[in-house]
Amino acid sequence: MTHLIHIINPVKVDKNSDLYYAQPITFESILVAKNFSKHKEKITLCTTQFEEDRSFIPEGFIQLSNLNQSVLDVNLDLKTRKLPLIKDILNKIKEIDPCDYCIYTNVDIALMPHFYDTVFQYLEKGHDAIVINRRRLSNKYTKVEDLPLMYADLGKSHPGFDCFVFKRSLLDAFILESICVGISFLEVTLVHNLFSFAKKPLYIPDAHLTFHIGMDVLVPRKNNFYKHNRSVFFKTIYPKLKPYFLLKTFPYGTLTFPNRMIKWMLNPSLFTMNYLSLEKKNILQVIKAYLDEIRWRILQR
């Protein structure tokens, strides 16, 4: 029996934050999706949070132990924003048993009612990691009562990554270091880990499974938290992951050469330098296989 653990990291905010309106919608959509699923007994919803964030989390979510550090504790140059580390959030999953597959979504990502049943079908096909891109909806939606209207709104696609499904055993291989949530390069870190260690990953760029209120694609990046995540990724994580990279496992890797080149280079969460390196490696492998085939045919004569 496959058991799913879906973990999120709620944060208590005031009315000046977009999350003030987004999180109640997220909570309700997750509860609706679980109740809708024919596999509801195999789904556990849980949160991990700082102590001050516990009070507003609704029933239906198991509150795991509190987080006890933030990015402010690991980078003393950062101030004001108490952002959790993704490795601390995901490690809380170990408090739940049984757990075969894990789901992590940002707290501003809402689910369609058929989300979990769709995920189960993909897992039954043997995928050990799934990345699902969201749909973007207008910010005219601000109330939980508007959920039926949101379900009916197809919205627009989004190129970024914010919903991650993965086999529990992969968690032990992840290299996450001090990457914090709520800042760019969180998605970069997770997707590069998933497509490095998963054996049969799946990338779903344009399905109607999750959605986000707001049409923005790129968020402001010129801040010290962005610099922190970016530096940690390129200086510490990327060198350790690079030996595991394979072109065929990354998004667009199975497309034709022109298509994958264009899509890879336009996606803000993937990097041209990485693509060129993998493309070179792939071409060399193709050439070697071709030359080996010629060699074997000559030997058989």
PDB file of all heavy atoms in Angstrom, residues 4 36 82 86 89 151 156 160 169 172 174 192 194 207-208 256 269 293 295 297:
ATOM      1  N   LEU A   4       1.109   8.366   1.165  1.00  0.00           N
ATOM      2  CA  LEU A   4       1.626   9.699   0.843  1.00  0.00           C
ATOM      3  C   LEU A   4       1.638  10.586   2.071  1.00  0.00           C
ATOM      4  O   LEU A   4       0.658  10.633   2.817  1.00  0.00           O
ATOM      5  CB  LEU A   4       0.739  10.377  -0.217  1.00  0.00           C
ATOM      6  CG  LEU A   4       0.835   9.957  -1.674  1.00  0.00           C
ATOM      7  CD1 LEU A   4      -0.155  10.789  -2.489  1.00  0.00           C
ATOM      8  CD2 LEU A   4       2.235  10.167  -2.205  1.00  0.00           C
ATOM      9  N   PHE A  36     -11.819  14.308  -1.476  1.00  0.00           N
ATOM     10  CA  PHE A  36     -12.288  13.893  -2.797  1.00  0.00           C
ATOM     11  C   PHE A  36     -11.641  12.574  -3.230  1.00  0.00           C
ATOM     12  O   PHE A  36     -12.224  11.798  -3.983  1.00  0.00           O
ATOM     13  CB  PHE A  36     -11.968  14.992  -3.811  1.00  0.00           C
ATOM     14  CG  PHE A  36     -12.354  14.680  -5.232  1.00  0.00           C
ATOM     15  CD1 PHE A  36     -13.638  14.936  -5.695  1.00  0.00           C
ATOM     16  CD2 PHE A  36     -11.429  14.123  -6.114  1.00  0.00           C
ATOM     17  CE1 PHE A  36     -13.994  14.649  -7.010  1.00  0.00           C
ATOM     18  CE2 PHE A  36     -11.775  13.834  -7.429  1.00  0.00           C
ATOM     19  CZ  PHE A  36     -13.056  14.097  -7.874  1.00  0.00           C
ATOM     20  N   LYS A  82      12.591  35.593   9.175  1.00  0.00           N
ATOM     21  CA  LYS A  82      12.868  34.305   9.817  1.00  0.00           C
ATOM     22  C   LYS A  82      12.400  33.174   8.902  1.00  0.00           C
ATOM     23  O   LYS A  82      11.362  32.562   9.115  1.00  0.00           O
ATOM     24  CB  LYS A  82      12.160  34.251  11.170  1.00  0.00           C
ATOM     25  CG  LYS A  82      12.515  33.074  12.041  1.00  0.00           C
ATOM     26  CD  LYS A  82      11.736  33.158  13.356  1.00  0.00           C
ATOM     27  CE  LYS A  82      11.989  31.951  14.232  1.00  0.00           C
ATOM     28  NZ  LYS A  82      11.196  32.009  15.493  1.00  0.00           N
ATOM     29  N   ILE A  86      14.857  24.439   4.020  1.00  0.00           N
ATOM     30  CA  ILE A  86      14.083  23.362   3.410  1.00  0.00           C
ATOM     31  C   ILE A  86      14.511  21.999   3.953  1.00  0.00           C
ATOM     32  O   ILE A  86      13.678  21.096   4.117  1.00  0.00           O
ATOM     33  CB  ILE A  86      14.187  23.393   1.861  1.00  0.00           C
ATOM     34  CG1 ILE A  86      13.275  22.335   1.241  1.00  0.00           C
ATOM     35  CG2 ILE A  86      15.621  23.240   1.399  1.00  0.00           C
ATOM     36  CD1 ILE A  86      11.803  22.495   1.570  1.00  0.00           C
ATOM     37  N   ILE A  89      12.577  21.349   7.126  1.00  0.00           N
ATOM     38  CA  ILE A  89      11.164  21.039   6.855  1.00  0.00           C
ATOM     39  C   ILE A  89      11.013  19.591   6.408  1.00  0.00           C
ATOM     40  O   ILE A  89      10.194  18.828   6.941  1.00  0.00           O
ATOM     41  CB  ILE A  89      10.605  21.997   5.793  1.00  0.00           C
ATOM     42  CG1 ILE A  89      10.533  23.429   6.342  1.00  0.00           C
ATOM     43  CG2 ILE A  89       9.224  21.540   5.316  1.00  0.00           C
ATOM     44  CD1 ILE A  89      10.188  24.473   5.303  1.00  0.00           C
ATOM     45  N   TYR A 151     -11.462  26.650  -9.381  1.00  0.00           N
ATOM     46  CA  TYR A 151     -11.392  25.345 -10.044  1.00  0.00           C
ATOM     47  C   TYR A 151     -11.776  25.466 -11.521  1.00  0.00           C
ATOM     48  O   TYR A 151     -11.212  24.777 -12.381  1.00  0.00           O
ATOM     49  CB  TYR A 151     -12.338  24.342  -9.375  1.00  0.00           C
ATOM     50  CG  TYR A 151     -11.989  23.964  -7.957  1.00  0.00           C
ATOM     51  CD1 TYR A 151     -12.993  23.574  -7.068  1.00  0.00           C
ATOM     52  CD2 TYR A 151     -10.674  23.967  -7.493  1.00  0.00           C
ATOM     53  CE1 TYR A 151     -12.702  23.196  -5.768  1.00  0.00           C
ATOM     54  CE2 TYR A 151     -10.371  23.599  -6.191  1.00  0.00           C
ATOM     55  CZ  TYR A 151     -11.388  23.224  -5.332  1.00  0.00           C
ATOM     56  OH  TYR A 151     -11.101  22.856  -4.043  1.00  0.00           O
ATOM     57  N   LYS A 156      -3.296  30.536 -16.585  1.00  0.00           N
ATOM     58  CA  LYS A 156      -2.185  30.456 -17.518  1.00  0.00           C
ATOM     59  C   LYS A 156      -1.069  29.594 -16.926  1.00  0.00           C
ATOM     60  O   LYS A 156      -0.970  29.442 -15.716  1.00  0.00           O
ATOM     61  CB  LYS A 156      -1.651  31.857 -17.832  1.00  0.00           C
ATOM     62  CG  LYS A 156      -2.643  32.738 -18.579  1.00  0.00           C
ATOM     63  CD  LYS A 156      -2.020  34.085 -18.931  1.00  0.00           C
ATOM     64  CE  LYS A 156      -3.010  34.949 -19.715  1.00  0.00           C
ATOM     65  NZ  LYS A 156      -2.419  36.278 -20.067  1.00  0.00           N
ATOM     66  N   GLY A 160       7.909  27.893 -13.521  1.00  0.00           N
ATOM     67  CA  GLY A 160       8.670  27.552 -12.322  1.00  0.00           C
ATOM     68  C   GLY A 160       8.214  26.265 -11.664  1.00  0.00           C
ATOM     69  O   GLY A 160       7.193  25.676 -12.026  1.00  0.00           O
ATOM     70  N   SER A 169      12.728   7.359   0.146  1.00  0.00           N
ATOM     71  CA  SER A 169      14.137   6.959   0.216  1.00  0.00           C
ATOM     72  C   SER A 169      15.068   7.974  -0.440  1.00  0.00           C
ATOM     73  O   SER A 169      16.251   8.035  -0.111  1.00  0.00           O
ATOM     74  CB  SER A 169      14.327   5.584  -0.436  1.00  0.00           C
ATOM     75  OG  SER A 169      13.878   5.597  -1.781  1.00  0.00           O
ATOM     76  N   ASP A 172      17.091  10.838   1.772  1.00  0.00           N
ATOM     77  CA  ASP A 172      18.391  10.620   2.408  1.00  0.00           C
ATOM     78  C   ASP A 172      19.556  10.986   1.494  1.00  0.00           C
ATOM     79  O   ASP A 172      20.674  11.196   1.975  1.00  0.00           O
ATOM     80  CB  ASP A 172      18.516   9.161   2.846  1.00  0.00           C
ATOM     81  CG  ASP A 172      17.487   8.780   3.906  1.00  0.00           C
ATOM     82  OD1 ASP A 172      17.173   9.651   4.741  1.00  0.00           O
ATOM     83  OD2 ASP A 172      16.998   7.644   3.880  1.00  0.00           O
ATOM     84  N   PHE A 174      19.385  13.639  -0.731  1.00  0.00           N
ATOM     85  CA  PHE A 174      19.311  15.059  -1.093  1.00  0.00           C
ATOM     86  C   PHE A 174      20.452  15.869  -0.474  1.00  0.00           C
ATOM     87  O   PHE A 174      20.849  15.650   0.672  1.00  0.00           O
ATOM     88  CB  PHE A 174      17.982  15.661  -0.639  1.00  0.00           C
ATOM     89  CG  PHE A 174      16.801  15.249  -1.472  1.00  0.00           C
ATOM     90  CD1 PHE A 174      15.521  15.642  -1.117  1.00  0.00           C
ATOM     91  CD2 PHE A 174      16.953  14.470  -2.605  1.00  0.00           C
ATOM     92  CE1 PHE A 174      14.421  15.277  -1.861  1.00  0.00           C
ATOM     93  CE2 PHE A 174      15.864  14.095  -3.369  1.00  0.00           C
ATOM     94  CZ  PHE A 174      14.597  14.492  -2.995  1.00  0.00           C
ATOM     95  N   HIS A 192      16.891  20.128  -9.025  1.00  0.00           N
ATOM     96  CA  HIS A 192      18.178  19.537  -9.393  1.00  0.00           C
ATOM     97  C   HIS A 192      18.480  18.298  -8.551  1.00  0.00           C
ATOM     98  O   HIS A 192      19.115  17.358  -9.038  1.00  0.00           O
ATOM     99  CB  HIS A 192      19.296  20.569  -9.263  1.00  0.00           C
ATOM    100  CG  HIS A 192      19.390  21.498 -10.426  1.00  0.00           C
ATOM    101  ND1 HIS A 192      18.515  22.547 -10.613  1.00  0.00           N
ATOM    102  CD2 HIS A 192      20.244  21.539 -11.488  1.00  0.00           C
ATOM    103  CE1 HIS A 192      18.834  23.191 -11.722  1.00  0.00           C
ATOM    104  NE2 HIS A 192      19.857  22.601 -12.284  1.00  0.00           N
ATOM    105  N   LEU A 194      16.041  16.239  -7.301  1.00  0.00           N
ATOM    106  CA  LEU A 194      15.121  15.201  -7.758  1.00  0.00           C
ATOM    107  C   LEU A 194      15.598  14.564  -9.057  1.00  0.00           C
ATOM    108  O   LEU A 194      15.607  13.340  -9.196  1.00  0.00           O
ATOM    109  CB  LEU A 194      13.721  15.780  -7.948  1.00  0.00           C
ATOM    110  CG  LEU A 194      12.934  16.088  -6.681  1.00  0.00           C
ATOM    111  CD1 LEU A 194      11.580  16.669  -7.037  1.00  0.00           C
ATOM    112  CD2 LEU A 194      12.740  14.831  -5.849  1.00  0.00           C
ATOM    113  N   ALA A 207      -0.252  20.819 -16.680  1.00  0.00           N
ATOM    114  CA  ALA A 207      -1.506  20.154 -16.316  1.00  0.00           C
ATOM    115  C   ALA A 207      -2.306  21.049 -15.372  1.00  0.00           C
ATOM    116  O   ALA A 207      -1.768  21.928 -14.703  1.00  0.00           O
ATOM    117  CB  ALA A 207      -1.220  18.815 -15.655  1.00  0.00           C
ATOM    118  N   HIS A 208      -3.599  20.810 -15.310  1.00  0.00           N
ATOM    119  CA  HIS A 208      -4.474  21.589 -14.432  1.00  0.00           C
ATOM    120  C   HIS A 208      -4.606  20.837 -13.108  1.00  0.00           C
ATOM    121  O   HIS A 208      -5.646  20.247 -12.801  1.00  0.00           O
ATOM    122  CB  HIS A 208      -5.831  21.769 -15.105  1.00  0.00           C
ATOM    123  CG  HIS A 208      -6.652  22.863 -14.500  1.00  0.00           C
ATOM    124  ND1 HIS A 208      -7.963  23.085 -14.844  1.00  0.00           N
ATOM    125  CD2 HIS A 208      -6.369  23.804 -13.564  1.00  0.00           C
ATOM    126  CE1 HIS A 208      -8.446  24.115 -14.163  1.00  0.00           C
ATOM    127  NE2 HIS A 208      -7.495  24.557 -13.374  1.00  0.00           N
ATOM    128  N   THR A 256      13.356  16.791 -28.940  1.00  0.00           N
ATOM    129  CA  THR A 256      14.354  16.902 -29.990  1.00  0.00           C
ATOM    130  C   THR A 256      15.350  17.997 -29.641  1.00  0.00           C
ATOM    131  O   THR A 256      15.058  18.898 -28.843  1.00  0.00           O
ATOM    132  CB  THR A 256      13.699  17.241 -31.342  1.00  0.00           C
ATOM    133  OG1 THR A 256      13.005  18.494 -31.221  1.00  0.00           O
ATOM    134  CG2 THR A 256      12.716  16.149 -31.741  1.00  0.00           C
ATOM    135  N   SER A 269      14.677  28.512 -14.090  1.00  0.00           N
ATOM    136  CA  SER A 269      15.172  27.635 -13.027  1.00  0.00           C
ATOM    137  C   SER A 269      16.205  26.625 -13.512  1.00  0.00           C
ATOM    138  O   SER A 269      16.699  25.809 -12.728  1.00  0.00           O
ATOM    139  CB  SER A 269      14.001  26.888 -12.377  1.00  0.00           C
ATOM    140  OG  SER A 269      13.121  27.784 -11.749  1.00  0.00           O
ATOM    141  N   GLU A 293      29.490   0.570 -32.617  1.00  0.00           N
ATOM    142  CA  GLU A 293      28.688  -0.268 -33.497  1.00  0.00           C
ATOM    143  C   GLU A 293      29.445  -0.599 -34.778  1.00  0.00           C
ATOM    144  O   GLU A 293      29.422  -1.744 -35.267  1.00  0.00           O
ATOM    145  CB  GLU A 293      27.373   0.449 -33.824  1.00  0.00           C
ATOM    146  CG  GLU A 293      26.405  -0.388 -34.650  1.00  0.00           C
ATOM    147  CD  GLU A 293      25.929  -1.639 -33.943  1.00  0.00           C
ATOM    148  OE1 GLU A 293      25.910  -1.658 -32.680  1.00  0.00           O
ATOM    149  OE2 GLU A 293      25.596  -2.614 -34.647  1.00  0.00           O
ATOM    150  N   ARG A 295      32.658  -0.676 -35.047  1.00  0.00           N
ATOM    151  CA  ARG A 295      33.736  -1.583 -34.625  1.00  0.00           C
ATOM    152  C   ARG A 295      33.259  -3.018 -34.544  1.00  0.00           C
ATOM    153  O   ARG A 295      33.912  -3.946 -35.037  1.00  0.00           O
ATOM    154  CB  ARG A 295      34.250  -1.096 -33.264  1.00  0.00           C
ATOM    155  CG  ARG A 295      35.370  -1.928 -32.667  1.00  0.00           C
ATOM    156  CD  ARG A 295      35.713  -1.358 -31.289  1.00  0.00           C
ATOM    157  NE  ARG A 295      36.703  -2.147 -30.609  1.00  0.00           N
ATOM    158  CZ  ARG A 295      37.038  -1.976 -29.332  1.00  0.00           C
ATOM    159  NH1 ARG A 295      36.423  -1.029 -28.628  1.00  0.00           N
ATOM    160  NH2 ARG A 295      37.958  -2.716 -28.766  1.00  0.00           N
ATOM    161  N   ARG A 297      30.665  -4.395 -35.998  1.00  0.00           N
ATOM    162  CA  ARG A 297      30.301  -4.937 -37.321  1.00  0.00           C
ATOM    163  C   ARG A 297      31.526  -5.366 -38.107  1.00  0.00           C
ATOM    164  O   ARG A 297      31.505  -6.353 -38.819  1.00  0.00           O
ATOM    165  CB  ARG A 297      29.518  -3.879 -38.092  1.00  0.00           C
ATOM    166  CG  ARG A 297      28.122  -3.641 -37.516  1.00  0.00           C
ATOM    167  CD  ARG A 297      27.293  -2.730 -38.389  1.00  0.00           C
ATOM    168  NE  ARG A 297      25.967  -2.508 -37.817  1.00  0.00           N
ATOM    169  CZ  ARG A 297      25.021  -1.806 -38.418  1.00  0.00           C
ATOM    170  NH1 ARG A 297      25.265  -1.289 -39.621  1.00  0.00           N
ATOM    171  NH2 ARG A 297      23.856  -1.659 -37.854  1.00  0.00           N
TER     172      ARG A 297
END
